Amino acid sequence: MIKPHILFDNNNLSIKIKNFVKKKLGHYTIANSDLIVVIGGDGFMLGSLKRYYKYNKKFYGINSGNYGFLMNKFSTKHTLNNLSKSFRVVTISPLEMIVKTKSNLTKRSIAINEVSILRQSKQAASLSISSNSKTIIKNLVSDGVLVSTPAGSTAYNLSVHGPILGIDSKKLAISPISPFRPRRWRGKIVGDKSKIIIKNINPLKRPVSAVADNVEVRNAINISIKINKKIKFSLLYDSNRSLQKKIKIEQIRNETN
């Protein structure tokens, strides 16, 4: 019998699903549970992973949001049956962002999907990008740039025309956001052992912010990004709807869909 600890977003559908799962399986403390059930959308799942990963529990997401890429589909007929079966387990590690600001503060945060460097004013950003001490681009003039994990490559990264990465590809995507110079630079794919350094070339005239998923640090001057292999998230998926399968569907999806 599954012993779930239930986390749920504050909306009517999440509460309805929570009551259904709780009635059928109960609700246990974190210490006494063997699984964390997260009911909400992708954003709620990302926040839950960051808050609760230190408990070393597996996470099973049930979608009550919009697309729910990281989640499983809810069904009164099949969800409980799926919870009692074997799962497809996906283990991922987050990006770790270390930011030095104009006021000489150092801020750290982790990102499961992506780290985004975004212009903070009407002026375009002016950024230099390097990987493992090798220059990728000396001066990118753009609205910003993002570094995406495979799990996040179908999110913001795909919206800025970045590449979709296989979940087991061991790659990271560096994708420009509305590049002005060089206008046709499409970004770069690097290995997941890379340490990526992004510097603001003109912080006084062209300030930028650094955002790890949904955590923003303003007036960033130097941003270091790499995978933190010491942190691991274990996500569970129904056997017929794995995260790998979702990514493959996105890779062949028609552009108009």
Side-chain angles (χ1 to χ4, degrees):
M1 176 67 72
I2 296 292
K3 297 180 179 179
H5 179 78
I6 304 172
L7 305 174
F8 60 98
D9 202 358
N10 188 26
N11 60 60
N12 291 336
L13 181 56
S14 295
I15 294 169
K16 181 179 178 180
I17 296 172
K18 182 265 295 187
N19 290 336
F20 175 83
V21 175
K22 183 177 179 180
K23 181 179 179 180
K24 300 293 184 179
L25 298 176
H27 172 65
Y28 297 79
T29 64
I30 283 279
N32 293 325
S33 67
D34 51 24
L35 177 69
I36 297 177
V37 174
V38 181
I39 305 169
D42 286 335
F44 188 72
M45 172 59 96
L46 292 175
S48 299
L49 289 170
K50 291 179 182 181
R51 286 194 300 271
Y52 292 94
Y53 75 89
K54 293 180 181 179
Y55 290 96
N56 294 317
K57 306 286 183 177
K58 292 181 172 62
F59 292 80
Y60 181 88
I62 300 176
N63 185 36
S64 64
N66 293 319
Y67 187 47
F69 191 81
L70 296 174
M71 317 299 278
N72 295 282
K73 185 177 180 180
F74 175 70
S75 165
T76 55
K77 183 177 180 181
H78 298 296
T79 292
L80 294 179
N81 189 40
N82 290 338
L83 277 167
S84 66
K85 290 183 177 180
S86 60
F87 303 98
R88 290 179 183 265
V89 182
V90 174
T91 302
I92 58 177
S93 291
L95 295 167
E96 180 180 54
M97 175 183 81
I98 302 175
V99 182
K100 290 186 178 179
T101 70
K102 187 171 67 174
S103 56
N104 206 30
L105 295 175
T106 299
K107 302 284 188 178
R108 295 173 180 261
S109 190
I110 60 173
I112 298 160
N113 275 354
E114 76 277 318
V115 170
S116 308
I117 314 304
L118 305 169
R119 70 174 185 172
Q120 198 173 291
S121 70
K122 63 182 180 181
Q123 297 283 351
S126 180
L127 307 169
S128 70
I129 306 170
S130 63
S131 175
N132 295 337
S133 300
K134 293 182 179 180
T135 300
I136 292 177
I137 193 163
K138 289 183 179 180
N139 187 4
L140 172 66
V141 180
S142 67
D143 281 354
V145 67
L146 63 84
V147 178
S148 172
T149 65
S153 66
T154 60
Y156 190 11
N157 174 71
L158 183 57
S159 296
V160 299
H161 307 291
I164 298 175
L165 304 174
I167 198 69
D168 298 319
S169 65
K170 297 184 179 180
K171 301 293 184 181
L172 301 173
I174 304 173
S175 303
I177 303 170
S178 300
F180 179 68
R181 290 287 186 272
R183 195 181 298 273
R184 292 176 177 81
W185 188 64
R186 297 300 183 189
K188 189 174 180 65
I189 296 174
V190 299
D192 69 352
K193 294 182 180 179
S194 301
K195 182 178 181 180
I196 299 161
I197 303 294
I198 301 173
K199 294 182 179 179
N200 187 354
I201 296 173
N202 193 345
L204 292 178
K205 185 178 180 181
R206 301 173 184 270
V208 300
S209 61
V211 185
D213 287 339
N214 56 359
V215 177
E216 181 183 22
V217 179
R218 294 178 72 80
N219 297 308
I221 292 179
N222 186 290
I223 305 100
S224 170
I225 304 165
K226 66 177 182 178
I227 289 284
N228 187 333
K229 299 284 187 179
K230 294 181 180 178
I231 301 175
K232 296 186 183 299
F233 306 105
S234 294
L235 285 75
L236 304 180
Y237 292 91
D238 300 337
S239 57
N240 63 341
R241 193 66 172 166
S242 68
L243 187 60
Q244 292 94 328
K245 186 173 181 179
K246 288 183 178 183
I247 289 175
K248 287 180 180 178
I249 289 172
E250 287 295 336
Q251 287 173 327
I252 63 174
R253 187 185 293 273
N254 188 293
E255 286 293 332
T256 60
N257 291 341

